[in-house]
Amino acid sequence: MSTKPLRHGEARCYRQGCRRDECRAAYRTERKIADYRAARGIKNPDCADVATHLRQLLASGRTRLDIAAEAHVSERAIRLYLAGLRQPRPSSARALLAVQPLGQPPRVPTIGTARRIQAMAYQGWAIKYTAPAAGCSWSYFFEILRGDYTSMPRGIAETVEQLARKLNGTRGPSGQSRAAARRNGWAPLAAWDDIDDPNEQPDLGADDDLGRNELAAYRRQEIAHLASFGIAEDDIAERLEMAPHYVHDLIRDMRKAA
C-alpha cells in the first residue's frame, strides 16, 4: 500500500471507499485511460524497466527523495521498486519514467584532476600556489594525489582544468616542484591524449631527456642563487632535496667556470 496520505480528487481515494464526486470522476478517468491503452495494445511499463530507469536517475546524481518529489511517489516505494519487492502501478511507473536524469553528474572521478595537479607541478607550479588558485586547501590537493578520494565535485575539477590550461607552457617558480614531479614520474599536459581516461598512458617521447637537461639547468640556477646568500652547502642540499656531494661538486664547477 502506498505511504502517501489519501487526497480527495484521486482515483485511489475512490478505490479506498470514498464516493465523493471528484474521487469518482478521477477513478472514471483512470479507467478510461486504461481501456484506451488496452484497446490500442499499449502495454504498461515493466517493473524491470522502471528499476533500470531509477538506477540511471541515481547514477546521474539524483536522489531518491528528489525523484519521489518530482514523480509524486513515496521514497519508500522507490526503494521497494529498486529492490524488486513491489510492482509499481501503471500511473506510478509512467510518472517515474517521465523523470529525466541530470544533464551532468555533480561528481566526477579524481584521476584527471590528479594528473593536472601533477602536470602543473612538472612545470614548476607547486601545490602551495595551485591549490589556493583553485580555491582549495593544500591538504585537499595532497589527498587527491594520494588517492584518498575516487570522486570529487565537478565544479572543483573544472576549476583545476581551467587553471592547468592557463598555466600550460608557462614555467613556474619552484625548482623543488619540478624535481619532485620528475622523481615521481609525473607527466606534463602535452603527454596526455585523454588525461581523464584512467587507462591512458602518457607519451613522454623525448621529453624525458629534455626534462633532465632542464632540471640540471634549474638545479644549477637554484644552487647559485642560494649560494650567493652565503647559505651552507648542506642547507642548500636539504632545501633542494639533493645529495650534499652533488651540491658541492656543482658549486665547485660553477666557481671554476667563473
Side-chain angles (χ1 to χ4, degrees), residues 4 59 61 66 209 213 231 239 245:
K4 288 197 305 181
D66 171 37
D209 292 333
N213 294 333
I231 298 175
R239 291 189 187 193
H245 68 85

Side-chain angles (χ1 to χ4, degrees), residues 121-190:
Y122 186 97
Q123 295 177 192
W125 296 102
I127 286 177
K128 67 180 181 180
Y129 172 84
T130 55
C136 300
S137 65
W138 299 9
S139 61
Y140 184 60
F141 267 28
F142 282 118
E143 288 163 359
I144 290 174
L145 291 177
R146 284 200 307 264
D148 291 358
Y149 311 111
T150 58
S151 67
M152 62 185 298
R154 173 179 289 277
I156 297 177
E158 291 176 346
T159 300
V160 174
E161 180 180 1
Q162 292 169 4
L163 179 63
R165 288 180 178 176
K166 176 183 176 181
L167 298 178
N168 187 29
T170 304
R171 180 188 293 272
S174 175
Q176 285 182 273
S177 178
R178 293 173 58 82
R182 282 159 175 76
R183 283 197 307 272
N184 291 324
W186 297 347
L189 284 180

